[in-house]
Amino acid sequence: ALNVQRVERTAQLAAASAERIERHIHYALSQKNNHGISEAAGLFTVGLVFPGLNSSERWVRTGKRLLEQQVAELIYADGAFSQHSANYHRLMLQTVLWCIRLGELNGVELSRSCVDAARRSSDFLYKLVDVESGRAPNYGENDGALTLPLSAMDRGDYRPVLQSAAILLEGSRRFPAGPWDEEAMWLFGGRLPGNDMPAASSPAELRGGPGGCHTMRSEE
């Protein structure tokens, strides 16, 4: 059960975490992968969720600036992510969606270019996924990392994040109503587009581009 002491201790833990992130974030940024994005998101999150902390405003500014810089650098023109891995692509996309939504709820908008990059990355991932099973090719590193475990779906199913991204970024659905809606319901409070909305059209083919991925689809 929540009480004042536990709230205080949680705030202390958040402050200590943000201080450590801020002190060492140059190392995360040097990785040029999900670490820089995640730690920038950490600063942004602590600053917004705990506005009473002394450094909250600076953490929001720093986290936002670094997140936008990382997204601009690490998401390619075709939507691919510098860390060539379907699993880490999802981790990155969930992290950016979280920040867009958290900022939206607190009156802090991420840049249009950042939102556009998130949209490209969602489209890229959709083009990799088998829409019948929600699974993606198992390429690149895959340790099962899942930033937002907000769905009862199997972690190998990418439909929850794709549905959330479409609802947040497009105001529409990738898939008809189903159990993959759960993540979006947690993020948006159940305010989802109509359940009778048809599914999006089948994914277009990937044909190279900076990410270097090609797909070939058939009826089987």
Side-chain angles (χ1 to χ4, degrees), residues 154-179:
D154 182 85
R155 71 176 57 215
D157 193 325
Y158 286 72
R159 285 173 291 185
V161 67
L162 292 171
Q163 191 82 306
S164 297
I167 290 169
L168 178 62
L169 303 172
E170 308 289 351
S172 60
R173 290 174 174 271
R174 287 286 192 194
F175 308 98

CSV table of all heavy atoms in Angstrom, one decimal, residues 154-179:
chain,number,residue,atom,x,y,z
A,154,ASP,N,2.7,-12.5,-25.9
A,154,ASP,CA,4.1,-13.1,-25.9
A,154,ASP,C,5.0,-12.0,-26.3
A,154,ASP,O,4.7,-11.1,-27.2
A,154,ASP,CB,4.1,-14.2,-26.9
A,154,ASP,CG,5.5,-14.9,-26.9
A,154,ASP,OD1,5.8,-15.7,-26.1
A,154,ASP,OD2,6.3,-14.5,-27.8
A,155,ARG,N,6.2,-12.0,-25.7
A,155,ARG,CA,7.2,-10.9,-26.0
A,155,ARG,C,7.7,-10.9,-27.4
A,155,ARG,O,8.3,-10.0,-27.9
A,155,ARG,CB,8.3,-10.9,-25.0
A,155,ARG,CG,9.3,-12.1,-25.2
A,155,ARG,CD,10.5,-11.9,-24.2
A,155,ARG,NE,10.0,-11.9,-22.8
A,155,ARG,CZ,10.6,-11.1,-21.9
A,155,ARG,NH1,11.7,-10.4,-22.2
A,155,ARG,NH2,10.1,-11.1,-20.6
A,156,GLY,N,7.5,-12.0,-28.1
A,156,GLY,CA,7.9,-12.1,-29.5
A,156,GLY,C,6.9,-11.5,-30.5
A,156,GLY,O,7.1,-11.5,-31.7
A,157,ASP,N,5.8,-11.0,-29.9
A,157,ASP,CA,4.7,-10.4,-30.7
A,157,ASP,C,4.8,-8.9,-30.7
A,157,ASP,O,4.8,-8.3,-29.7
A,157,ASP,CB,3.3,-10.8,-30.1
A,157,ASP,CG,2.2,-10.5,-31.1
A,157,ASP,OD1,2.2,-9.5,-31.8
A,157,ASP,OD2,1.2,-11.3,-31.1
A,158,TYR,N,5.0,-8.4,-31.9
A,158,TYR,CA,5.3,-6.9,-32.1
A,158,TYR,C,4.0,-6.1,-32.3
A,158,TYR,O,4.1,-4.9,-32.4
A,158,TYR,CB,6.3,-6.7,-33.2
A,158,TYR,CG,7.7,-7.1,-32.9
A,158,TYR,CD1,8.1,-8.4,-32.8
A,158,TYR,CD2,8.7,-6.1,-32.7
A,158,TYR,CE1,9.4,-8.8,-32.4
A,158,TYR,CE2,10.0,-6.5,-32.4
A,158,TYR,CZ,10.3,-7.8,-32.2
A,158,TYR,OH,11.6,-8.2,-31.9
A,159,ARG,N,2.9,-6.7,-32.3
A,159,ARG,CA,1.6,-6.0,-32.6
A,159,ARG,C,1.3,-5.0,-31.5
A,159,ARG,O,0.8,-3.9,-31.9
A,159,ARG,CB,0.5,-7.0,-32.8
A,159,ARG,CG,0.5,-7.6,-34.2
A,159,ARG,CD,-0.5,-8.7,-34.4
A,159,ARG,NE,-0.3,-9.9,-33.5
A,159,ARG,CZ,-1.0,-11.0,-33.5
A,159,ARG,NH1,-2.0,-11.1,-34.3
A,159,ARG,NH2,-0.7,-12.0,-32.7
A,160,PRO,N,1.6,-5.2,-30.2
A,160,PRO,CA,1.2,-4.2,-29.2
A,160,PRO,C,1.9,-2.9,-29.5
A,160,PRO,O,1.3,-1.8,-29.4
A,160,PRO,CB,1.7,-4.9,-27.9
A,160,PRO,CG,1.5,-6.3,-28.1
A,160,PRO,CD,1.9,-6.5,-29.6
A,161,VAL,N,3.2,-2.9,-29.7
A,161,VAL,CA,3.9,-1.6,-29.9
A,161,VAL,C,3.5,-1.0,-31.2
A,161,VAL,O,3.4,0.3,-31.3
A,161,VAL,CB,5.5,-1.8,-29.9
A,161,VAL,CG1,6.0,-2.6,-31.1
A,161,VAL,CG2,6.2,-0.5,-29.8
A,162,LEU,N,3.3,-1.8,-32.3
A,162,LEU,CA,2.8,-1.2,-33.5
A,162,LEU,C,1.4,-0.6,-33.4
A,162,LEU,O,1.2,0.5,-34.0
A,162,LEU,CB,2.9,-2.2,-34.6
A,162,LEU,CG,4.3,-2.7,-35.0
A,162,LEU,CD1,4.2,-3.9,-36.0
A,162,LEU,CD2,5.1,-1.6,-35.7
A,163,GLN,N,0.6,-1.2,-32.7
A,163,GLN,CA,-0.8,-0.6,-32.4
A,163,GLN,C,-0.6,0.7,-31.7
A,163,GLN,O,-1.3,1.7,-32.0
A,163,GLN,CB,-1.6,-1.6,-31.7
A,163,GLN,CG,-3.1,-1.2,-31.6
A,163,GLN,CD,-3.9,-1.6,-32.9
A,163,GLN,OE1,-3.5,-1.2,-34.0
A,163,GLN,NE2,-4.9,-2.3,-32.7
A,164,SER,N,0.2,0.7,-30.6
A,164,SER,CA,0.4,1.9,-29.8
A,164,SER,C,0.9,3.0,-30.6
A,164,SER,O,0.5,4.2,-30.5
A,164,SER,CB,1.3,1.6,-28.6
A,164,SER,OG,0.7,0.7,-27.7
A,165,ALA,N,1.9,2.7,-31.5
A,165,ALA,CA,2.6,3.7,-32.3
A,165,ALA,C,1.6,4.3,-33.3
A,165,ALA,O,1.5,5.6,-33.5
A,165,ALA,CB,3.8,3.2,-33.0
A,166,ALA,N,0.8,3.5,-33.9
A,166,ALA,CA,-0.2,4.0,-34.9
A,166,ALA,C,-1.2,4.9,-34.2
A,166,ALA,O,-1.6,6.0,-34.7
A,166,ALA,CB,-0.9,2.8,-35.6
A,167,ILE,N,-1.7,4.5,-33.0
A,167,ILE,CA,-2.7,5.3,-32.3
A,167,ILE,C,-2.1,6.6,-31.9
A,167,ILE,O,-2.8,7.7,-32.0
A,167,ILE,CB,-3.3,4.5,-31.1
A,167,ILE,CG1,-4.1,3.3,-31.6
A,167,ILE,CG2,-4.1,5.4,-30.2
A,167,ILE,CD1,-4.5,2.4,-30.6
A,168,LEU,N,-0.9,6.6,-31.4
A,168,LEU,CA,-0.3,7.9,-30.9
A,168,LEU,C,0.1,8.8,-32.0
A,168,LEU,O,-0.1,10.0,-32.0
A,168,LEU,CB,0.9,7.6,-30.0
A,168,LEU,CG,1.7,8.8,-29.5
A,168,LEU,CD1,0.8,9.6,-28.6
A,168,LEU,CD2,2.9,8.3,-28.7
A,169,LEU,N,0.7,8.2,-33.1
A,169,LEU,CA,1.3,9.0,-34.1
A,169,LEU,C,0.4,9.3,-35.3
A,169,LEU,O,0.6,10.3,-36.0
A,169,LEU,CB,2.6,8.3,-34.6
A,169,LEU,CG,3.6,8.1,-33.5
A,169,LEU,CD1,4.8,7.2,-34.1
A,169,LEU,CD2,4.2,9.4,-33.0
A,170,GLU,N,-0.6,8.4,-35.5
A,170,GLU,CA,-1.5,8.5,-36.7
A,170,GLU,C,-2.9,8.7,-36.3
A,170,GLU,O,-3.8,9.1,-37.2
A,170,GLU,CB,-1.3,7.3,-37.6
A,170,GLU,CG,0.1,6.9,-38.0
A,170,GLU,CD,0.7,7.9,-39.0
A,170,GLU,OE1,0.0,8.8,-39.5
A,170,GLU,OE2,1.9,7.8,-39.2
A,171,GLY,N,-3.3,8.4,-35.1
A,171,GLY,CA,-4.7,8.5,-34.7
A,171,GLY,C,-5.5,7.4,-35.3
A,171,GLY,O,-6.7,7.5,-35.5
A,172,SER,N,-4.9,6.3,-35.7
A,172,SER,CA,-5.6,5.2,-36.3
A,172,SER,C,-5.0,3.9,-35.8
A,172,SER,O,-4.2,3.9,-34.8
A,172,SER,CB,-5.3,5.3,-37.8
A,172,SER,OG,-4.0,5.2,-38.2
A,173,ARG,N,-5.4,2.8,-36.4
A,173,ARG,CA,-5.0,1.4,-36.0
A,173,ARG,C,-4.1,0.8,-37.0
A,173,ARG,O,-4.3,1.0,-38.2
A,173,ARG,CB,-6.2,0.5,-35.7
A,173,ARG,CG,-7.0,0.9,-34.5
A,173,ARG,CD,-8.2,0.0,-34.4
A,173,ARG,NE,-8.9,0.2,-33.2
A,173,ARG,CZ,-8.7,-0.5,-32.0
A,173,ARG,NH1,-7.8,-1.4,-32.0
A,173,ARG,NH2,-9.4,-0.2,-30.9
A,174,ARG,N,-3.2,-0.1,-36.6
A,174,ARG,CA,-2.5,-1.0,-37.5
A,174,ARG,C,-3.3,-2.3,-37.7
A,174,ARG,O,-3.3,-2.9,-38.7
A,174,ARG,CB,-1.1,-1.4,-37.0
A,174,ARG,CG,-0.1,-0.3,-37.1
A,174,ARG,CD,0.4,-0.1,-38.5
A,174,ARG,NE,1.6,0.8,-38.5
A,174,ARG,CZ,2.1,1.3,-39.6
A,174,ARG,NH1,1.5,1.1,-40.7
A,174,ARG,NH2,3.2,2.1,-39.5
A,175,PHE,N,-4.0,-2.6,-36.6
A,175,PHE,CA,-4.7,-3.9,-36.5
A,175,PHE,C,-6.1,-3.7,-36.0
A,175,PHE,O,-6.3,-2.7,-35.2
A,175,PHE,CB,-3.9,-4.9,-35.6
A,175,PHE,CG,-2.5,-5.0,-36.0
A,175,PHE,CD1,-1.5,-4.3,-35.3
A,175,PHE,CD2,-2.1,-5.9,-37.0
A,175,PHE,CE1,-0.2,-4.5,-35.6
A,175,PHE,CE2,-0.7,-6.0,-37.4
A,175,PHE,CZ,0.2,-5.3,-36.7
A,176,PRO,N,-7.1,-4.6,-36.3
A,176,PRO,CA,-8.4,-4.4,-35.7
A,176,PRO,C,-8.3,-4.7,-34.2
A,176,PRO,O,-7.2,-5.1,-33.7
A,176,PRO,CB,-9.2,-5.5,-36.4
A,176,PRO,CG,-8.2,-6.5,-36.9
A,176,PRO,CD,-7.0,-5.7,-37.2
A,177,ALA,N,-9.3,-4.5,-33.4
A,177,ALA,CA,-9.3,-4.6,-32.0
A,177,ALA,C,-8.9,-6.1,-31.6
A,177,ALA,O,-9.3,-7.0,-32.3
A,177,ALA,CB,-10.7,-4.3,-31.4
A,178,GLY,N,-8.1,-6.2,-30.6
A,178,GLY,CA,-7.7,-7.5,-30.1
A,178,GLY,C,-6.8,-7.4,-28.9
A,178,GLY,O,-6.7,-6.3,-28.3
A,179,PRO,N,-6.3,-8.5,-28.4
A,179,PRO,CA,-5.5,-8.5,-27.2
A,179,PRO,C,-4.3,-7.6,-27.3
A,179,PRO,O,-3.7,-7.2,-26.2
A,179,PRO,CB,-5.2,-9.9,-26.9
A,179,PRO,CG,-5.3,-10.6,-28.3
A,179,PRO,CD,-6.4,-9.9,-29.0
